[in-house]
């Protein structure tokens, strides 16, 4: 179906009149104060700044998970519904105003969902969740957090593929791809979206699915904030009772056995796709303590206690070479309980950086050696709160599910082997340590890159939701996938609003020009 011409909606036109004709037709770059004046005129009760509804403004700034993104925009506007979003975008685009869009505000990349000088569209008021049992579809607004989604669905005996930490927002995770406990059964979170409701750069509202605007539909599955503002996700739902899972902590001496078990789990996940595992290596410099923490989930519907580890986790069972954990929270419970347990410490500065490499045991073992060498240099200085590295399975099975559901733009169909997503996660308190953190991250990631490229096991793919500011995750999707996003951008955003007026995040103009830890 060919989309209609991208023109401002009737609702936006009403607010354009309210803002004044002079402001509307001004195509020059407008000052942030002028832009806020336009928005406040149209939405006086829904706009807040340091001079207007100051308490709400400060609550908004503090609502970001990471201190990195607690910027102070000229103003923020809180739309109540899709029509409000369309009107706001129409106003901002017509007046050449720079803006950002906030869903859950859990992103680590500075300015990805906030802006220092400009307008931030705060979607937190749009957080409704509903379920159509007949069609087995959940309808979720972008401002909801996953814990809210799961609590609603738990009570109805249903679930959807979604974030693994409850405090993460729906919008950013889904348009960035989205990994979940259910990936081995259903693919990425974005692959389970049946329909996107989207506000385009001109303020027009469209739907994107397999029939209507299918090229936009595909591009939104990994295209991040480059194409429009998704105001509603319709996601495949399935019946789900309680499941087994939790965390288990181990002594660092178990690492050799842990790596063998992790390798086997990733290779054999296709045999029992109900398993989900994250292997976490945690260092707390203040107490000079290294802890191994595994996150286990088994998503088969269960009732009653589980007395033995489910089949995919036999390599980690107490009678395995890994041995019994020091402590654990393993239990049969609901999804909201498990994801609520995995929330990270907030109110700190954070850095993420990521790589993808082949699941081979010798490669895993050498990667751990490199990490240990790098952190040995820094263990004498407690200038950060914690550092962690995570290994997450990325088997071909995930991509097979994606292809069966129509495909996405992540570009993982290039790979036919099983891979691993690697995440470096650091948190610290105080800007005086920024340079030291950056240096440590560069050393760790740089040395890993050199090794992995040298043995031919480094993949171009870099998971967008974990990427560092100097990385190029869109370019890492590959030329074919990137061309799909660019084509959709030109077609559905001919004014290039989300390229020119939304500076945060990874932009198409620079995609493919340089990937710090790949090329």
């Amino acid at each position: 179906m060919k989309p209609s011409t991208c023109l401002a909606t009737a609702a936006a036109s009403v607010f354009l009149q309210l803002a004044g004709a002079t402001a509307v037709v001004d195509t020059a770059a407008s000052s942030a104060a002028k832009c806020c004046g336009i928005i406040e005129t149209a939405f006086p009760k829904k706009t807040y700044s340091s001079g207007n509804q100051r308490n709400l403004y400060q609550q908004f700034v503090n609502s970001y998970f990471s201190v990195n993104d607690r910027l102070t925009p000229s103003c923020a506007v809180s739309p109540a519904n899709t029509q409000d979003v369309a009107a706001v975008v129409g106003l901002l685009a017509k007046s050449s105003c720079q803006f950002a869009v906030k869903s859950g505000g859990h992103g680590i990349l500075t300015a990805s969902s906030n802006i220092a000088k400009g307008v931030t569209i705060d979607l937190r008021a749009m957080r409704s969740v509903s379920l159509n049992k007949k069609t087995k579809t959940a309808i979720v607004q972008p401002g909801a957090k996953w814990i809210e989604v799961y609590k609603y669905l738990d009570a109805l005996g249903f679930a959807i593929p979604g974030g693994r930490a409850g405090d993460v927002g729906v919008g950013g995770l889904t348009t960035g791809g989205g990994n979940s406990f259910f990936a081995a059964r259903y693919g990425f979170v974005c692959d389970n979206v049946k329909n996107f409701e989207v506000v385009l750069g001109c303020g027009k509202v469209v739907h994107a699915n397999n029939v209507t605007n299918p090229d936009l539909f595909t591009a939104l599955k990994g295209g991040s904030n480059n194409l429009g503002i998704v105001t509603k996700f319709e996601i495949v739902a399935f019946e789900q009772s309680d499941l087994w899972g939790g965390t288990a902590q181990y002594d660092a001496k178990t690492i050799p056995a842990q790596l063998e078990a992790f390798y086997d789990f990733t290779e054999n996940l296709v045999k029992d796709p109900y398993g989900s595992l994250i292997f976490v290596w945690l260092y707390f410099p203040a107490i000079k303590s290294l802890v191994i923490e595994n996150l286990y989930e088994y998503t088969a519907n269960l009732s009653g206690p589980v007395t033995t580890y489910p089949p995919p986790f036999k390599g980690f069972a107490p009678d395995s070479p890994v041995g019994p954990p020091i402590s654990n929270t393993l239990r049969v419970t609901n999804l909201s309980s498990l994801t609520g347990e995995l929330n990270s410490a907030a109110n700190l500065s954070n850095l993420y950086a990521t790589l993808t490499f082949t699941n081979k045991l010798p490669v895993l073992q050498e990667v751990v050696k490199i990490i240990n060498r790098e952190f040995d240099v820094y263990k004498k200085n407690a200038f950060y709160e914690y550092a962690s590295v995570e290994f997450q399975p990325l088997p071909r099975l995930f991509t097979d599910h994606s292809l069966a559901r129509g495909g996405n733009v992540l570009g993982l169909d290039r790979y036919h082997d099983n891979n691993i997503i690697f995440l470096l996660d650091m948190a610290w308190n105080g800007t005086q340590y920024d340079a030291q953190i950056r240096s440590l991250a560069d050393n760790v990631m740089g040395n890993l890159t050199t090794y992995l490229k040298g043995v031919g096991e480094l993949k171009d793919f870099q998971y967008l939701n974990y990427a560092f500011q100097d990385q190029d995750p869109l370019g890492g999707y590959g030329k074919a996938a990137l061309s799909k996003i660019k084509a959709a951008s030109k077609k559905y955003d001919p004014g290039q609003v989300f390229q020119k007026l939304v500076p945060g995040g990874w932009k198409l103009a620079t995609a493919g020009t340089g990937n710090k830890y790949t090329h």
Side-chain angles (χ1 to χ4, degrees):
M1 179 178 177
K2 186 177 180 180
S4 58
T5 304
C6 193
L7 296 174
T9 63
S13 298
V14 172
F15 288 113
L16 293 176
Q17 293 173 13
L18 287 172
T22 303
V24 171
V25 299
D26 182 8
T27 57
S30 302
S31 70
K34 178 181 177 182
C35 294
C36 284
I38 293 170
I39 296 300
E40 188 173 350
T41 299
F43 295 95
K45 294 183 179 180
K46 299 175 183 177
T47 304
Y48 31 88
S49 65
S50 58
N52 175 45
Q53 302 192 83
R54 188 169 183 173
N55 288 340
L56 288 177
Y57 177 76
Q58 195 57 52
Q59 290 173 16
F60 154 77
V61 171
N62 292 338
S63 69
Y64 284 87
F65 167 77
S66 176
V67 173
N68 305 33
D69 220 18
R70 291 182 182 175
L71 308 178
T72 51
S74 303
C75 64
V77 58
S78 178
N81 51 49
T82 299
Q83 290 70 35
D84 282 357
V85 176
V88 169
V89 172
L91 286 167
L92 295 173
K94 289 285 184 178
S95 301
S96 300
C97 299
Q98 289 201 328
F99 65 97
V101 184
K102 180 194 181 207
S103 173
H106 198 280
I108 301 303
L109 181 69
T110 300
S112 61
S113 59
N114 203 357
I115 191 167
K117 292 183 179 180
V119 180
T120 296
I121 301 174
D122 179 9
L123 299 176
R124 285 181 301 159
M126 298 175 60
R127 57 198 313 125
S128 71
V129 185
S130 62
L131 175 69
N132 186 326
K133 290 186 179 182
K134 185 175 181 180
T135 63
K136 292 189 176 181
T137 304
I139 299 91
V140 186
Q141 289 187 310
K145 295 194 174 184
W146 287 107
I147 189 70
E148 298 168 331
V149 176
Y150 298 143
K151 284 181 177 179
Y152 175 86
L153 294 175
D154 280 344
L156 300 174
F158 276 79
I160 60 175
R164 295 165 294 184
D167 59 350
V168 173
V170 169
L173 180 130
T174 305
T175 56
N179 205 344
S180 82
F181 296 149
F182 303 97
R185 291 168 57 189
Y186 298 104
F188 290 93
V189 177
C190 67
D191 297 313
N192 292 276
V193 178
K194 299 171 68 174
N195 181 71
F196 296 96
E197 179 185 80
V198 193
V199 174
L200 301 179
C202 61
K204 181 179 176 60
V205 181
V206 301
H207 289 268
N209 51 57
N210 277 325
V211 177
T212 304
N213 304 319
D215 48 352
L216 177 61
F217 181 55
T218 300
L220 283 167
K221 293 188 281 186
S224 193
N225 69 345
N226 284 287
L227 300 157
I229 301 176
V230 178
T231 50
K232 189 180 295 180
F233 299 87
E234 297 179 33
I235 304 174
V236 174
F238 48 88
E239 294 182 14
Q240 179 70 49
S241 64
D242 286 349
L243 55 158
W244 179 88
T247 62
Q249 294 75 38
Y250 302 85
D251 190 276
K253 67 183 180 183
T254 66
I255 288 178
Q258 296 269 3
L259 294 178
E260 291 188 29
F262 180 90
Y263 164 79
D264 288 338
F265 175 91
T266 304
E267 287 298 297
N268 294 299
L269 188 55
V270 66
K271 298 176 182 178
D272 191 341
Y274 291 93
S276 175
L277 167 68
I278 304 177
F279 170 54
V280 185
W281 182 102
L282 275 165
Y283 183 69
F284 298 94
I287 59 175
K288 296 184 172 143
S289 174
L290 174 63
V291 176
I292 304 304
E293 181 173 78
N294 288 344
L295 282 54
Y296 304 123
E297 273 76 31
Y298 191 63
T299 65
N301 287 317
L302 300 171
S303 60
V306 174
T307 56
T308 61
Y309 282 40
F313 306 105
K314 292 299 183 184
F316 299 93
D319 60 352
S320 73
V322 171
I326 298 171
S327 62
N328 73 84
T329 64
L330 300 174
R331 64 208 187 274
V332 174
T333 188
N334 58 32
L335 191 55
S336 55
S337 174
L338 288 171
T339 55
E341 179 183 1
L342 301 182
N343 293 339
S344 301
N347 302 314
L348 297 169
S349 295
N350 300 86
L351 179 149
Y352 281 0
T354 186
L355 292 170
T356 303
F357 57 89
T358 316
N359 183 47
K360 291 184 177 180
L361 183 56
V363 174
L364 272 167
Q365 292 167 334
E366 185 60 31
V367 164
V368 168
K369 288 180 182 178
I370 292 171
I371 295 165
N372 274 317
R373 285 200 300 268
E374 292 300 326
F375 276 98
D376 278 344
V377 177
Y378 290 87
K379 285 181 179 178
K380 297 178 182 179
N381 301 300
F383 58 87
Y384 51 93
E385 297 295 318
Y386 71 82
S388 77
V389 294
E390 296 184 10
F391 299 88
Q392 302 184 19
L394 183 61
R396 172 67 191 190
L397 177 63
F398 291 9
T399 302
D400 290 341
H401 287 306
S402 300
L403 294 173
R405 287 163 171 76
N408 54 43
V409 290
L410 302 180
L412 289 167
D413 53 310
R414 295 169 291 170
Y415 310 131
H416 297 280
D417 47 5
N418 297 321
N419 294 298
I420 297 168
I421 294 176
F422 171 87
L423 167 65
L424 171 66
D425 173 10
M426 300 196 67
W428 68 100
N429 192 358
T431 57
Q432 67 269 30
Y433 300 121
D434 289 1
Q436 290 171 284
I437 296 291
R438 176 67 176 265
S439 176
L440 175 55
D442 281 345
N443 287 339
V444 172
M445 301 302 291
N447 286 328
L448 287 177
T449 298
T450 298
Y451 162 69
L452 291 167
K453 288 178 68 175
V455 295
E457 304 298 350
L458 182 67
K459 303 296 166 58
D460 284 340
F461 177 76
Q462 296 178 328
Y463 180 44
L464 184 144
N465 290 333
Y466 291 165
F468 182 51
Q469 63 187 39
D470 291 347
Q471 296 187 270
D472 178 19
L474 296 177
Y477 291 172
K479 292 182 179 179
L482 182 58
S483 67
K484 292 180 180 180
I485 306 174
K486 289 183 175 180
S489 172
K490 291 179 180 178
K491 181 177 178 180
Y492 295 94
D493 187 15
Q496 294 294 278
V497 169
F498 285 90
Q499 304 306 309
K500 297 176 181 178
L501 299 183
V502 183
W506 289 275
K507 300 287 100 176
L508 296 174
T510 55
T513 60
N515 212 326
K516 183 176 179 68
Y517 300 126
T518 300
H519 304 303

